[in-house]
Amino acid sequence: MPFKTSPSPFLYAPTDTSAIMRQVLYALVPGLVIYVYFFGWGVVINVLIASLTALSSEALVLWLRNRPLRPSLSDGSALVTAWLLAAALSPFVPWWMTMLGTAFAIIVVKQLYGGLGYNPFNPAIAGYAMLLISFPADMGKWPALTSQPGMLDSLSIIFNGHPLTVPTLDALSGATLLDTVKNSLKQSYTIQEIQQHPLFGYMGAKSVEVINGVFLLGGLWLLYKRVISWHIPVAVMGSLFLISTFFFVWDSGIYPSPLYHLVSGGVILGAFFIATDPVTAATSNQGRLIYGAGIGILVYIIRTWGGYPDGIAFAVLLMNITAPMIDYYTQPRVFGYPK
Amino acid sequence: MRLWQFHGGVHLDGHKELSSQVPIAQANLPKFLIFPLLQHIGEPTEPIVHVGDKVLKGQIVAHCFGSDCSLMISAPIHASSSGTVVAIELRPVPHPSQLTAICIVIETDGQDVWTELNAIPDYTSLSPAAVREHIAHAGIVGLGGAGFPSHVKLRPQDIDTLVINGAECEPYITCDDRLMQECPQDILEGAQILRHTLGGTKRCIIAVEDNKPSAFQALSQVAQSTSVEVVKVPTLYPTGGERQLIKVLTGKEVGRAQFPASIGVVVHNVETTRAVFRAVTQGRPLVSRVVTVTGNGVDCPQNLEVLLGTPMREVLAQCGRKSDIEQLIMGGGMMGYALPRDDLPMIKTTNCLIASGPGELRVPPPLLPCIRCNACAQVCPIHLLPQQLYWHCKAKDFKRAQAYHLFDCIDCGCCAYVCPSHIPLVSYYRYAKAEIRASEREHKKAEQAQQRHEFRLFRVEREKKERAERHKQRAKGVDSG
Ligand code: SF4
Ligand code: SF4
């Protein structure tokens, strides 16, 4: 009657990587729902396309690499990538772009590096950046807020490139607020003049600020559940706030307010859901603060002086590169070693 | 009293209520007693009895190589009951890396007759050195589980603080808890003896985790009119680790390369302290210890005072063993190790047996890749980077692993406990440490061989030269003669 011999410890905390991934998905749901409310069914279609693409790409690679399918497919990480990418995309991007971005994220960015845990770049944001570089025009197309397309129109826009019903053609017109502000500033309008633009809401773009607010709630829930620690989101938003306040105070005519920066574009989604991806972030608390601060500052630099309206994607990717170095230089003092 | 904190640590479900409610009972006298020759950290012992010899309880059956145990890192082994030596042979032993070892087997005669005991009625009249020698000959080692010969930690150095460790932070184990509740006076006396042996330490602190209020109460009561401080420390695994406890009590960190004595602190476990009390005041060597027998694999989890050498099977039977035991663990749930069989003897370091049937110990969900969540580093009491250690150990990059302080790891298991991907981190570290040690041994051997070889070449060369010299001399002699 030999007994089972396994190594110690024999006790385990009730935490689980799959459960963590599921919680990230739950936290995304409210934001996505509001997104649908403002921008119509395109969002749902994108989430579906991205999810299916992510799972099938993952399955394909695992099959090619002769790895068991179940554990990786059921750990939920592919879905997290898919949902984050879908949440970042315009509800009007053509179907093949969503597929391409997701497949690139899963196959190239994640699996070619060895799968979950081995990828130096966050797959969702790398997929997004790839699309942004390759198809800047399509990526910049956002629905005008005046008329949100219904289910059939959304399907038609995504799969045929135009809505079913002709009058809503101008639904495709829009640029994002970040874009508008950037271009107007180039044309020497002042911030005060630009704020008269119909896209402006309280602090940023009308509905976008609301959507981001709900994503923020999801992020706070993740904090509360201790799925993420506060260091990265606080550092990202804090540094962005500080640097934008500085320039805003310097000259509020050409530098938009700090609140505008925080609620616009992908900062909140990025700070709470993407930069906190443990695989690609710095690990120690101190390192996370540096990493997050780096993202916030880069976002501001790219938005203000760079070639793209939003900077979150490139900011995260750039800091992904530095994460190992940050880790190296923020090693804690080991117990018993001199201070 | 001000307390400090070490980094990390985990709050665990103690599973202590299983066995902590019942008083310590006496274990039955078994038919056979088995004594492995090595039950402590340090030099092994050699048998000084022969097959067929009659022995009495408390008689030394295995002694340190060389003359005097008190001068070595070793401890003699005493027969724990009277009877006849029936075998000295290889037997399975409870050891994490060793399956069998030479054991002395005694068939008991049921009389349990003591040998003549040499008590010290007034230890204060003896010099610290004499008391220390007495303790060494009683075979006492760290009974908290480490098994380091106690007299080595009683060497006269500038010690100003004696700490009696009653933290007992490991899940499932309650033997110290019960002992503190039932024999606080013995422990207090033992502490005073240890103090004397250390040349009279300024302070003496008995530390108890705050999840053992009755033990704290009992000790505080007896210590009231003495200078011994009884201190409640927060329940947090691994506070019972020697260096963690020192940090909590003094704020000082003792690194791997140091001994606590270098900062004037010595730590002894409560049961060790009781063993010292018995050895000095009653002359009774270490022949028994309190063991927690627990888990859902036995009907009556409890603490038993067990004669050393008793086969575990007998102890399990006495506690109402069930038929569906899947795992048998010696030690606690975090740092113990799983035994393959139940006919192994109880040894000096056996503080707990967990008989685990279905549902007792959680079966970890399937392994997932490391997601670099850093949960492991947040809880590591040594402030290591378990994740980085893991990557390097896995890649067999032992140099890097050592640069990340692999050998500072105390195997506490906190990292593996919290890992959401259920990676057996500690196993990787143990494996790496074993590999590195093995290759260092190889290296040393090779070096020695190299030296021998070089020396031989040198000698051959020298002899050649000498011969040539002699030839020359002779030739000269012939010339001049
Ligand atoms: S806790 Fe596990 S998954 Fe998280 S970083 Fe450590 S080893 Fe990796
Ligand atoms: S087992 Fe080692 S690495 Fe893991 S928490 Fe304990 S000391 Fe740190």
Side-chain angles (χ1 to χ4, degrees), chain B residues 58-81:
Chain B
Q59 183 182 330
I60 293 184
V61 292
H63 202 274
C64 320
F65 287 98
S67 53
D68 191 349
C69 287
S70 67
L71 301 176
M72 307 175 64
I73 303 183
S74 189
I77 289 163
H78 302 73
S80 56
S81 189

Side-chain angles (χ1 to χ4, degrees), chain A residues 7 21 33 39 46 49 94 121 169 172 204 214 240 281 301 326 328:
Chain A
M21 298 292 172
V33 169
F39 286 108
N46 281 350
I49 295 176
F121 298 106
L169 240 176
L172 286 174
V214 181
L240 181 58
I301 292 174
I326 296 177
Y328 185 81

Side-chain angles (χ1 to χ4, degrees), chain B residues 369-376 387 390 415 418-421 423 425:
Chain B
C370 167
I371 55 166
R372 302 181 192 259
C373 65
N374 212 39
C376 47
Q387 180 212 146
Y390 157 69
C415 50
V418 297
C419 176
S421 290
I423 301 169
L425 295 165

Side-chain angles (χ1 to χ4, degrees), chain B residues 376 379-386 389 408-416 425-426 429 433:
Chain B
C376 47
V379 297
C380 175
I382 308 299
H383 223 156
L384 301 174
L385 298 170
L389 281 175
D408 284 274
C409 165
I410 57 169
D411 282 11
C412 67
C414 290
C415 50
L425 295 165
V426 190
Y429 311 151
K433 287 185 212 167

Side-chain angles (χ1 to χ4, degrees), chain B residues 28 131 265 460 479:
Chain B
N28 300 333
V131 181
V265 182
V460 169
D479 272 357

Side-chain angles (χ1 to χ4, degrees), chain B residues 17-23 25 174 291-304 315-322 353 355:
Chain B
E17 59 302 325
L18 275 176
S19 56
S20 65
Q21 311 302 325
V22 215
T174 58
V291 180
T292 306
V293 185
T294 184
N296 67 355
V298 288
D299 281 324
C300 323
Q302 58 182 312
N303 284 284
L304 289 176
V315 180
L316 290 174
Q318 191 177 344
C319 295
R321 170 201 194 128
K322 293 191 202 157
L353 283 183

